[in-house]
Amino acid sequence: MRDNEILSRRVFLGTCAAGAALFTTRGLFAEQLALTPSRTEGPFYPDRLPLDTDNDLIIVNDGITPAVGEITHLTGRILSETGSPIRNATIEIWQCDANQVYLHTGDSDGKRDQQDKNFQGFGRFTTGSTGEYYFRTIKPVPYPGRPAPHIHIKVKKGGRELLTTQLNIAGHPGNEVDGVVLGGIGVFDRELLMAEFKPIKESKIGELAAHFDLILGRTPDESAFKPKSSSSR
């Protein structure tokens, strides 16, 4: 799906959401994009950040052995609700490895033999003038108690947290029974947190590509927005 098609889809979804709730601000005007819903941070934001916090989660430091899993190139943009790119925003992602272990002592300490030591588990990227970001990671897998595979995302700028959310795999059956995916938001907002993980035709090793734009309704120049915390993974 091309960038302009994704933006058009967000405008459409935002407009539909406005029609369902006449007095909400999301999507009230055609030129506005539907805001990315917030989701719980969960308990496993790394309590000890790795020495390597770059945007390549497949290789740790100078290692030569890649992480286990389906390699995924995750791209997207961080935009305002009018579609303007947000520069110098830091996007962080974290997720469990292919063996269902998070980079967090509360999870990994009891699963040391299970943990993939070659998976970085956490990464950062700072946007430029186009608002674009890029990560090389793995396709997310289900976690015990969380049947929907997901990638956690946090956006920061100017020392403030602007958004914490989760990216889900479009069409995955776990989405239909996952409490975090279903909890507290409607069908339109759930759709905004889905991305397709598509095979890259020219890849000889089965790599995937996923695109996910993040639309923010608050910036450091406006009132701060900080999502509620929760114990959900």
Side-chain angles (χ1 to χ4, degrees), residues 5-222:
E5 293 174 332
I6 293 170
L7 287 178
S8 296
R9 179 167 168 269
R10 279 188 168 273
V11 170
F12 171 76
L13 288 171
T15 304
C16 289
L22 294 177
F23 298 103
T24 61
T25 58
R26 179 179 291 119
L28 188 59
F29 302 104
E31 67 272 15
Q32 288 184 322
L33 301 177
L35 305 185
T36 301
S38 64
R39 296 279 81 190
T40 173
E41 178 181 291
F44 293 141
Y45 180 90
D47 54 347
R48 297 177 185 173
L49 292 180
L51 294 177
D52 190 357
T53 61
D54 65 5
N55 63 329
D56 187 350
L57 283 67
I58 300 300
I59 296 292
V60 178
N61 293 319
D62 297 324
I64 58 173
T65 303
V68 175
E70 296 181 84
I71 296 177
T72 298
H73 298 269
L74 174 62
T75 60
R77 294 164 296 170
I78 301 179
L79 306 170
S80 71
E81 59 189 325
T82 59
S84 299
I86 298 179
R87 184 178 184 178
N88 293 327
T90 297
I91 175 172
E92 300 176 340
I93 68 169
W94 68 102
Q95 64 189 102
C96 69
D97 62 30
N99 298 326
Q100 303 180 319
V101 183
Y102 275 97
L103 185 69
H104 188 288
T105 56
D107 194 42
S108 58
D109 276 2
K111 303 176 182 177
R112 292 180 181 176
D113 293 336
Q114 179 180 335
Q115 185 178 16
D116 181 2
K117 303 300 192 301
N118 297 311
F119 184 57
Q120 191 170 296
F122 173 92
R124 285 192 179 120
F125 190 93
T126 299
T127 61
S129 60
T130 62
E132 293 177 303
Y133 70 85
Y134 167 75
F135 290 98
R136 189 170 76 137
T137 185
I138 63 171
K139 183 179 181 180
V141 300
Y143 182 86
R146 288 295 314 277
H150 56 283
I151 297 176
H152 295 268
I153 297 175
K154 189 185 292 288
V155 179
K156 303 176 179 179
K157 186 178 181 183
R160 294 183 180 179
E161 295 183 9
L162 305 182
L163 176 69
T164 300
T165 192
Q166 296 182 20
L167 165 62
N168 305 299
I169 300 174
H172 192 281
N175 297 333
E176 303 301 321
V177 293
D178 188 277
V180 175
V181 173
L182 300 175
I185 58 175
V187 62
F188 294 108
D189 279 347
R190 289 200 295 272
E191 182 67 18
L192 293 172
L193 297 177
M194 303 292 166
E196 295 183 19
F197 286 67
K198 300 179 179 181
I200 298 175
K201 293 181 180 180
E202 60 271 23
S203 174
K204 297 180 179 180
I205 58 173
E207 294 170 288
L208 305 173
H211 187 93
F212 185 65
D213 287 341
L214 293 137
I215 313 302
L216 306 185
R218 296 289 185 271
T219 70
D221 297 326
E222 301 171 330

